[in-house]
Amino acid sequence: MAKGNLKEVVKKGKKYFFTSESVTEGHPDKMADQISDAVLDAIYAKDKMARVACETALTTGVCFVMGEITHKHDIVIDYPRIVRDTVREIGYTSPEFGFDADSCAVLTSIDKQSSDIAMGVDKALEIRKKAKASEDEKFGAGDQGMMFGFACNETEEYMPMPITFAHQLCEKLAQLRKNKKIAYLRPDGKSQVTIEYDGHTPVRVDAVVISTQHDPKVSLKQIEEDVREQIIKKVIPAHMLDKKTKYYINPTGRFVIGGPHGDSGLTGRKIIVDTYGGMARHGGGAFSGKDPTKVDRTGAYGARHAAKNIVAAGLADRCEVQVAYAIGVAHPVSVMVDTFGTAKVDEREIERILMNSEIFDLRPGALIKSLDLRRPIFHKTARYGHFGRSDRDFTWEQLDKVKIIKKAIKL
């Protein structure tokens, strides 16, 4: 449904359905994301000023790591070991699964970051024009583009309910596979959740879809029973399920061939899974494999941090923040807020807060500093979403601006 139509539906208080999906860590595209971020972490552990733009492609028996990477000359990165350790952690540990950490071929093609790009990142346009800035704030954006951050108060994570449940279902699948509570499960899988809304209020779960890779010997009946009882009913609150809720568990009837053997994988193909499940707009840039000078990642983290704190401060029930950059320029070229008609104060007041650099400084260098992004923390962001997480390393999820926002509004 188009954004304008959705606003009209919500305004009239009519009911509508919204669906989001997630994928497990053994999904080939998510495997590629995790490998790219594992490479980033390995480099950042040795050189926190490195420039990394790493892409991964996977297919049957082969992993190809490529990109533009610049780091200190005296460090050595063992790319095959990083790939194999990541694949092993995911769970592809036997040729029987169609992909094996120890026997897959690992190919690499790594070049340095373009000097033309580095010039604008190293010294922002503002610095080249003699403007004042601190060492941490001198960097220009690593590319042009627009990024979106979103938050809503329908879950305790300040995330849309469909993507929240979808992530939790995939996490539960992985947990029961790894602790062997459901021993026949294999790494690849997907979930999908449809929520019925009344205006902006989630009312019930209308449909749940789970497809999970499995051992060829197990019956579909057993899979359906285990997934429904041990996963769906353990994740989704009972009051959100009713007699009309529809369940689709391995609807094709068989899912033995999975992972890179069943489909190729590529970094950056699950950007909606990584963000808000389609509930908010997306600028199109992927996150994984990119160091924090890349605003595709850092700008999106900063926008989420702003949107979440605005909602938590009670200024709106829903908030979407867009921030846009020009390559080599530190200051955003535009900042926009949309509360979808849920603002409790004049939206111009919210925009004023977003433009106040003492509250939210959206320059890339300032975000790197305030969110403490020069650390090897990115591998774990590449599964189950970059937002709505309780891990302390996800600094963009902190509600550290709520008091400041409330005080600014009162003033």
Side-chain angles (χ1 to χ4, degrees):
M1 184 179 295
K3 182 185 170 190
N5 291 338
L6 181 55
K7 278 188 172 181
E8 192 64 25
V9 166
V10 172
K11 183 178 179 180
K12 293 179 179 178
K14 291 184 179 179
K15 294 184 178 180
Y16 62 96
F17 298 89
F18 197 93
T19 302
S20 296
E21 73 157 348
S22 182
V23 297
T24 65
E25 56 206 70
H27 184 282
D29 291 330
K30 265 289 146 230
M31 291 176 66
D33 286 341
Q34 290 168 83
I35 291 168
S36 293
D37 270 338
V39 169
L40 171 59
D41 277 0
I43 294 170
Y44 247 41
K46 297 180 179 181
D47 180 6
K48 67 178 183 178
M49 301 302 289
R51 299 287 166 77
V52 181
C54 178
E55 308 283 346
T56 301
L58 294 155
T59 189
T60 304
V62 179
C63 176
F64 181 31
V65 178
M66 67 199 109
E68 293 75 46
I69 299 174
T70 302
H71 55 67
K72 293 177 181 177
H73 296 293
D74 59 345
I75 68 173
V76 176
I77 304 300
D78 188 345
Y79 292 100
R81 182 189 61 78
I82 295 169
V83 170
R84 297 186 194 285
D85 287 351
T86 304
V87 173
R88 188 176 298 108
E89 181 188 0
I90 290 168
Y92 285 107
T93 55
S94 169
E96 182 184 358
F97 298 166
F99 199 86
D100 177 28
D102 293 317
S103 63
C104 68
V106 179
L107 309 176
T108 60
S109 179
I110 306 297
D111 204 348
K112 293 183 178 180
Q113 183 183 61
S114 161
S115 59
D116 292 347
I117 295 175
M119 179 176 64
V121 178
D122 292 339
K123 188 174 289 187
L125 178 67
E126 293 91 330
I127 300 299
R128 300 198 300 274
K129 289 185 174 181
K130 309 299 183 183
K132 292 182 180 180
S134 69
E135 183 68 19
D136 291 305
E137 297 166 344
K138 71 176 185 179
F139 301 105
D143 202 352
Q144 68 176 44
M146 65 284 190
M147 297 83 218
F148 290 91
F150 180 79
C152 58
N153 59 10
E154 62 190 60
T155 65
E156 64 181 18
E157 296 88 359
Y158 292 91
M159 289 286 287
M161 188 173 286
I163 190 65
T164 297
F165 283 164
H167 284 323
Q168 291 173 352
L169 290 169
C170 283
E171 283 191 272
K172 193 68 172 178
L173 269 173
Q175 177 190 354
L176 295 180
R177 170 177 62 87
K178 290 181 176 181
N179 65 21
K180 301 190 185 303
K181 293 289 181 65
I182 304 182
Y184 60 77
L185 293 177
R186 288 183 176 174
D188 198 357
K190 289 184 174 183
S191 69
Q192 186 172 285
V193 178
T194 300
I195 300 290
E196 181 179 344
Y197 281 84
D198 184 355
H200 284 312
T201 304
V203 176
R204 54 181 289 275
V205 174
D206 185 67
V208 181
V209 183
I210 292 185
S211 296
T212 178
Q213 187 184 13
H214 59 84
D215 183 286
K217 298 178 182 179
V218 67
S219 68
L220 177 59
K221 182 179 179 181
Q222 183 68 55
I223 296 171
E224 290 175 331
E225 180 181 343
D226 289 342
V227 167
R228 187 163 178 167
E229 296 300 320
Q230 297 190 52
I231 296 172
I232 296 174
K233 290 187 177 180
K234 298 295 184 182
V235 167
I236 299 177
H239 72 272
M240 293 297 293
L241 302 170
D242 58 31
K243 294 180 180 179
K244 293 183 179 180
T245 301
K246 300 176 284 290
Y247 302 92
Y248 302 94
I249 300 169
N250 278 21
T252 67
R254 179 181 169 88
F255 187 1
V256 173
I257 300 173
H261 183 47
D263 196 4
S264 61
L266 189 65
T267 301
R269 280 207 299 217
K270 284 290 175 282
I271 58 176
I272 299 302
V273 172
D274 284 341
T275 53
Y276 308 100
M279 187 71 79
R281 287 172 287 191
H282 198 294
F287 302 156
S288 291
K290 297 177 181 178
D291 74 80
T293 66
K294 277 69 171 177
V295 285
D296 279 339
R297 178 168 226 151
T298 302
Y301 289 177
R304 162 63 176 177
H305 184 233
K308 183 176 180 180
N309 276 269
I310 286 168
V311 173
L315 273 58
D317 294 332
R318 289 184 169 218
C319 181
E320 181 183 79
V321 174
Q322 185 203 55
V323 58
Y325 296 92
I327 188 169
V329 181
H331 289 86
V333 298
S334 71
V335 179
M336 182 276 295
V337 62
D338 189 349
T339 63
F340 306 93
T342 69
K344 312 302 181 184
V345 300
D346 192 318
E347 272 195 4
R348 288 174 295 183
E349 287 294 297
I350 300 176
E351 290 174 351
R352 180 176 63 82
I353 286 171
L354 285 172
M355 298 303 293
N356 185 339
S357 62
E358 293 184 2
I359 301 177
F360 294 110
D361 191 338
L362 296 171
R363 290 177 292 178
L367 287 172
I368 290 171
K369 181 180 180 181
S370 64
L371 299 178
D372 194 14
L373 296 181
R374 290 198 185 279
R375 296 178 294 145
I377 60 171
F378 299 106
H379 181 195
K380 55 189 172 184
T381 68
R383 48 192 175 195
Y384 314 122
H386 292 244
F387 307 121
R389 307 282 291 275
S390 59
D391 191 306
R392 293 180 64 182
D393 284 333
F394 289 62
T395 50
W396 49 96
E397 293 295 313
Q398 293 178 359
L399 296 176
D400 55 341
K401 302 292 186 180
V402 171
K403 291 182 179 179
I404 299 171
I405 291 171
K406 289 181 176 179
K407 184 178 180 181
I409 288 294
K410 288 179 181 178
L411 289 173

